[in-house]
């Protein structure tokens, strides 16, 4: 290939037309906060109401204010985006009312300790290099700074259950270190299982409000995806049918992130193939990519008894209102399933090994913290991101094929 041609290729790739609007691609990023959050008005209102005292005229930011609230709900229902959206707007409003409000968002998967969260806040907002400072020292700097500026801090801690328990307690008790004038508020976000199992008993007395997020309905999913698609794509790029298809897939899992990711991947693939429209085939392929934990080849790699084990948990979790189950319960289910398929069940020790495999490949989530029963601390089993119904369906179809072949 001569030099000119290679340059042409690059120019072409960079400047060729795209089905995304200019700047549209980034509106489908996880960190993008849209101007409008449909169907989350109640949640936005309720979060905001918790911060009313901050704006009361007699206070006007001069006295102390602090609150801790929690947001909980299943995957992909807008907890993160709603928290960030609301806090961003609270900050703008505070500015208008001459109240100094700092805000910060931390995902505890990325910043995993109280110390690192405090340090990065001090560095980013105040330019203080607190590396090497102890927790107490960092806290002290923060308190002095906020006090001297008569400023407040609202800190969003996303996926908070990842933090060590003592750090979570540390955050909850932070305001008290200010003496009379509290200045730090925390918004904790977590999934319901983690909330129930590890957090609620530990912090609930200090949480002013627990706000539940419910999954969107199909109709709502369709409208939100329509809005998001129009932010991202040129109007000619997608039809009603494609949107309907993506909305239905997203509705299957009740996880809006799947819908948004499918839009994103479908758009990228269309650009790569230089198509000027999203096609059903591209959507289907993108769909398989957004469930990596359920790719057919992963099921193929699993032994039949491991599939039974996955099924035993999925079936239990399929019951309404049950978000986690125990090993004992699943083992009973597993034996029933073995019977259904005419195989002899293996012992509980083997069953536990199947669970470990499922955990290692990411189908299963295990929450071991917290729940103390008669038998000591018991593991609680959950499934990751994939709804139980989808998992059941795919495993059963797969098992039928496997049994037919043999
Ligand atoms: N009402 C809405 N309007 C527009 N986009 C939304 C809305 N709700 C959620 N989204 C988008 O859907 C995706 C998933 O939302 P989000 O990340 O807030 O979910 P989550 O509840 O925090 O999930 P997880 O528990 O997995 O972290 C994001 O891309 C977000 O921007
Ligand atoms: Mg989130």
């Amino acid at each position: 290939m001569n030099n000119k041609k290679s340059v042409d290729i690059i120019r072409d790739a960079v400047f060729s037309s795209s089905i995304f609007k200019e700047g549209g691609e980034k509106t489908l990023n996880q960190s993008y906060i849209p101007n409008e959050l449909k169907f989350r008005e109640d949640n936005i209102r309720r979060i905001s109401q918790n911060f009313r005292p901050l704006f009361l005229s007699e206070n006007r930011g001069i006295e102390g204010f602090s609150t801790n609230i929690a947001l909980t709900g299943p995957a992909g229902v807008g907890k993160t985006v709603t928290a960030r959206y609301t806090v961003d707007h609270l900050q703008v409003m505070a500015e208008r009312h001459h109240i100094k409000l700092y805000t910060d968002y931390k995902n505890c998967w990325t910043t995993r300790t109280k110390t690192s969260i405090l340090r990065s806040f001090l560095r980013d907002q105040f330019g203080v290099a607190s590396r090497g400072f102890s927790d107490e020292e960092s806290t002290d700097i923060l308190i002095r700074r906020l006090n001297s500026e008569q400023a407040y801090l609202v800190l969003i801690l996303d996926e908070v259950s990842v933090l060590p328990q003592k750090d979570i307690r540390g955050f909850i008790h932070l305001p008290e270190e200010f003496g009379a004038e509290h200045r730090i508020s925390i918004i904790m976000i977590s999934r319901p299982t983690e909330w129930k199992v590890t957090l609620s008993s530990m912090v609930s007395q200090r949480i002013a409000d627990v706000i539940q997020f419910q999954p969107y309905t199909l109709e709502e999913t369709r409208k939100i995806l329509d809005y998001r698609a129009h932010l991202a794509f040129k109007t000619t790029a997608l039809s009603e049918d494609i949107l309907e298809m993506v909305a239905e897939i997203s509705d299957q899992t009740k996880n809006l992130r799947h819908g948004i990711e499918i839009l994103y991947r479908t758009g990228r693939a269309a650009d790569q193939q230089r198509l000027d429209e999203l096609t059903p085939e591209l959507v289907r392929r993108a769909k398989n990519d957004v469930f990596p934990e359920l790719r057919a080849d992963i099921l193929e790699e699993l032994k039949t008894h491991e599939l039974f084990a996955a099924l035993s948990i999925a079936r239990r979790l399929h019951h309404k209102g049950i978000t986690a189950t125990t090993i004992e319960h699943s083992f009973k289910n597993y034996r029933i399933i073995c019977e259904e398929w005419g195989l002899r069940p293996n012992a509980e020790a083997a069953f536990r090994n199947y669970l470990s495999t499922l955990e290692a490949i990411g189908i299963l989530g295990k929450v071991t913290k917290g729940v103390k029963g008669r038998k000591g601390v018991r593991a609680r089993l959950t499934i990751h991101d994939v709804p139980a119904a989808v998992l059941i369906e795919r495993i059963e179809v797969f098992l039928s094929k496997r049994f037919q072949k043999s």
Side-chain angles (χ1 to χ4, degrees):
M1 202 187 296
N2 70 36
N3 208 13
K4 187 158 184 291
K5 258 196 177 158
S6 317
V7 171
D8 285 346
I9 290 169
I10 296 171
R11 184 183 304 121
D12 234 39
V14 176
F15 292 112
S16 71
S17 68
S18 162
I19 78 169
F20 290 105
K21 280 182 185 161
E22 207 178 318
E25 195 172 320
K26 72 169 196 313
T27 67
L28 294 175
N29 284 353
Q30 268 317 303
S31 55
Y32 179 79
I33 303 171
N35 278 332
E36 197 189 336
L37 290 181
K38 294 179 199 293
F39 313 110
R40 282 297 173 239
E41 293 83 2
D42 290 348
N43 306 66
I44 294 172
R45 185 175 306 117
R46 200 156 141 191
I47 298 171
S48 309
Q49 278 167 345
N50 282 284
F51 293 92
R52 264 165 76 167
L54 194 58
F55 293 88
L56 289 181
S57 52
E58 60 270 27
N59 272 13
R60 275 295 151 94
I62 292 158
E63 287 169 22
F65 167 75
S66 144
T67 188
N68 297 317
I69 63 174
L71 315 185
T72 171
V77 297
K79 300 182 297 296
T80 300
V81 75
T82 306
R84 299 191 76 168
Y85 176 96
T86 311
V87 167
D88 281 358
H89 285 269
L90 283 173
Q91 189 175 34
V92 172
M93 222 158 284
E95 211 165 285
R96 252 185 243 148
H97 288 81
H98 309 290
I99 298 164
K100 190 143 195 188
L101 181 66
Y102 289 99
T103 63
D104 201 10
Y105 167 86
K106 286 283 182 277
N107 187 314
C108 300
W109 274 113
T110 358
T111 321
R112 289 190 175 209
T113 61
K114 177 165 169 259
T115 314
S116 54
I117 290 172
L118 288 180
R119 274 187 196 160
S120 85
F121 176 76
L122 289 175
R123 187 192 55 226
D124 299 344
Q125 306 260 4
F126 298 139
V128 176
S130 57
R131 190 176 254 279
F133 286 5
S134 71
D135 216 31
E136 289 72 28
E137 284 164 330
S138 301
T139 309
D140 197 51
I141 298 173
L142 178 63
I143 289 174
R144 278 185 211 204
R145 194 72 189 237
L146 293 178
N147 274 340
S148 74
E149 292 184 16
Q150 296 202 331
Y152 297 87
L153 166 62
V154 177
L155 183 58
I156 302 173
L157 297 177
D158 205 348
E159 319 264 4
V160 67
S161 61
V162 176
L163 289 182
Q165 299 206 0
K166 74 167 190 354
D167 286 12
I168 298 175
R169 282 201 197 92
F171 271 117
I172 289 286
H173 290 274
L174 254 187
E176 288 153 28
E177 305 199 20
F178 282 82
E181 289 184 17
H182 302 174
R183 294 192 178 273
I184 297 185
S185 298
I186 312 267
I187 299 180
M188 296 189 163
I189 305 178
S190 85
R191 303 257 180 98
T193 311
E194 284 77 2
W195 173 254
K196 274 188 217 142
V197 173
T198 66
L199 293 167
S200 113
S201 59
M202 182 165 73
V203 299
S204 63
Q205 284 177 338
R206 300 200 162 254
I207 297 282
D209 198 7
V210 180
I211 302 171
Q212 312 272 354
F213 282 62
Q214 304 299 336
Y216 297 110
T217 63
L218 172 61
E219 187 56 29
E220 291 169 344
T221 301
R222 194 185 290 129
K223 286 189 175 144
I224 295 171
L225 288 176
D226 185 44
Y227 166 61
R228 297 294 301 255
H230 280 95
L231 287 179
F233 296 112
K234 291 176 181 161
T235 31
T236 48
L238 84 172
S239 62
E240 284 287 311
D241 289 353
I242 291 286
L243 250 170
E244 183 62 32
M245 193 175 165
V246 180
E248 272 170 19
I249 297 170
S250 191
D251 184 62
Q252 257 182 19
T253 64
K254 299 281 171 208
N255 181 336
L256 195 68
R257 180 172 307 112
H258 290 150
I260 295 202
E261 246 179 70
I262 289 172
L263 286 180
Y264 175 73
R265 284 166 191 257
T266 312
R268 294 278 304 220
D271 269 4
Q272 273 161 18
Q273 299 183 21
R274 295 161 170 253
L275 302 172
D276 49 16
E277 225 182 337
L278 304 181
T279 67
E281 187 46 35
L282 290 179
V283 173
R284 273 190 286 273
R285 253 187 255 156
K287 173 189 172 184
N288 285 336
D289 290 344
V290 301
F291 297 122
E293 64 276 51
L294 265 190
R295 279 194 334 253
D297 50 323
I298 282 192
L299 295 187
E300 240 156 66
E301 280 165 24
L302 290 173
K303 301 196 184 92
T304 298
H305 281 271
E306 288 163 347
L307 289 168
F308 286 172
L311 203 51
S312 72
I313 294 156
R315 279 203 189 161
R316 175 77 184 142
L317 298 184
H318 191 37
H319 292 284
K320 211 173 157 52
I322 296 179
T323 55
T325 180
T326 58
I327 294 181
E328 292 75 12
H329 220 116
S330 315
F331 184 57
K332 267 189 218 147
N333 263 354
Y334 158 79
R335 292 167 52 137
I336 296 171
I337 291 166
C338 288
E339 223 168 87
E340 285 172 15
W341 292 85
L343 291 186
R344 264 192 41 201
N346 289 323
E348 188 171 324
F351 179 72
R352 284 173 186 264
N353 284 336
Y354 305 149
L355 298 185
S356 303
T357 309
L358 295 173
E359 196 189 355
I361 60 170
I363 289 188
L364 192 70
K366 219 185 212 170
V367 187
T368 29
K369 281 189 244 167
V371 260
K372 285 208 181 93
R374 269 176 298 129
K375 296 181 183 168
V377 177
R378 294 205 301 189
R380 307 260 296 176
L381 308 170
T382 61
I383 42 186
H384 272 158
D385 293 354
V386 202
V390 175
L391 194 58
I392 293 172
E393 184 197 307
R394 294 211 188 169
I395 294 178
E396 285 183 346
V397 168
F398 184 81
L399 280 171
S400 314
K401 280 193 201 144
R402 185 178 272 185
F403 275 71
Q404 256 169 23
K405 270 189 218 147
S406 57

